[in-house]
Amino acid sequence: MFSKYNNQLRVFRLIGNRYREQVLTGSRFWIPEIQLSLGLWQGAFLQNERLWLRWYDINGNLVLTPEEFERQRAQLESQRAELERQRAEFERQQAEIERQRAESEKQQAESERQRAEFEKQQAELERDRANRLADRLRAMGINPDEL
């Protein structure tokens, strides 16, 4: 029996042909036949904040009402969706980092190609200049290979 007027819980058990009051050692009473305990819970239910009589499982956890279960399920689903959104954002960022790395490597390769092309052109210009100088020396009667 639970009195909402004095918030007192009293438990009786049928022993033989009489109900006998049981001694409560805490705020809950274990009922082995159904593997649940009955106890007091402070909280809001049906928009009333006070002590309520509630069921607890073998581990001492509240047995949720359908509304509490649905609210908890919705919160878990919301958290799962948020984690999925964060995972997708992380993957998008990783893909962007990879794209930027590939673009950087492409630019480095292009820069290296341009540097090699420049060096090749410089070598050709030097060779052309050396050939022109050798031609001038020959025109003056000097063999450039003997210098």
Side-chain angles (χ1 to χ4, degrees):
M1 291 177 39
F2 174 66
S3 170
K4 68 179 183 177
Y5 302 108
N6 63 9
N7 291 325
Q8 188 175 20
L9 175 63
R10 295 174 63 202
V11 177
F12 295 84
R13 182 177 287 257
L14 182 61
I15 300 174
N17 60 358
R18 290 190 58 204
Y19 282 95
R20 301 198 189 268
E21 187 167 0
Q22 303 296 297
V23 176
L24 290 176
T25 57
S27 63
R28 298 183 194 147
F29 181 75
W30 179 251
I31 306 170
E33 295 84 0
I34 60 173
Q35 294 291 296
L36 292 172
S37 62
L38 202 51
L40 299 178
W41 171 77
Q42 177 69 43
F45 182 69
L46 299 175
Q47 299 175 348
N48 290 313
E49 174 73 34
R50 62 184 202 74
L51 276 177
W52 294 91
L53 198 55
R54 295 286 303 262
W55 291 108
Y56 292 86
D57 67 16
I58 195 167
N59 296 317
N61 300 311
L62 276 174
V63 175
L64 300 178
T65 65
E67 293 82 11
E68 290 169 329
F69 179 81
E70 181 55 33
R71 188 171 39 253
Q72 188 178 66
R73 188 204 59 74
Q75 286 173 341
L76 289 173
E77 178 58 29
S78 175
Q79 290 171 353
R80 188 206 59 76
E82 177 60 18
L83 284 173
E84 178 59 27
R85 186 198 65 72
Q86 289 175 358
R87 185 198 59 76
E89 177 63 17
F90 176 77
E91 287 182 2
R92 185 197 66 73
Q93 289 174 351
Q94 289 298 104
E96 177 62 17
I97 289 169
E98 180 59 26
R99 185 197 65 73
Q100 289 174 355
R101 186 195 59 76
E103 181 64 26
S104 175
E105 286 179 2
K106 180 181 171 186
Q107 288 174 353
Q108 284 177 335
E110 178 60 20
S111 176
E112 182 60 28
R113 187 196 64 74
Q114 289 175 355
R115 187 193 59 74
E117 180 65 27
F118 176 75
E119 288 178 2
K120 179 181 170 187
Q121 289 173 354
Q122 286 297 103
E124 286 177 17
L125 287 174
E126 285 297 318
R127 196 171 26 257
D128 287 347
R129 183 176 160 275
N131 286 340
R132 279 193 314 273
L133 183 57
D135 288 345
R136 283 175 118 185
L137 287 171
R138 283 186 199 102
M140 295 188 319
I142 302 170
N143 185 355
D145 296 328
E146 294 177 359
L147 291 179

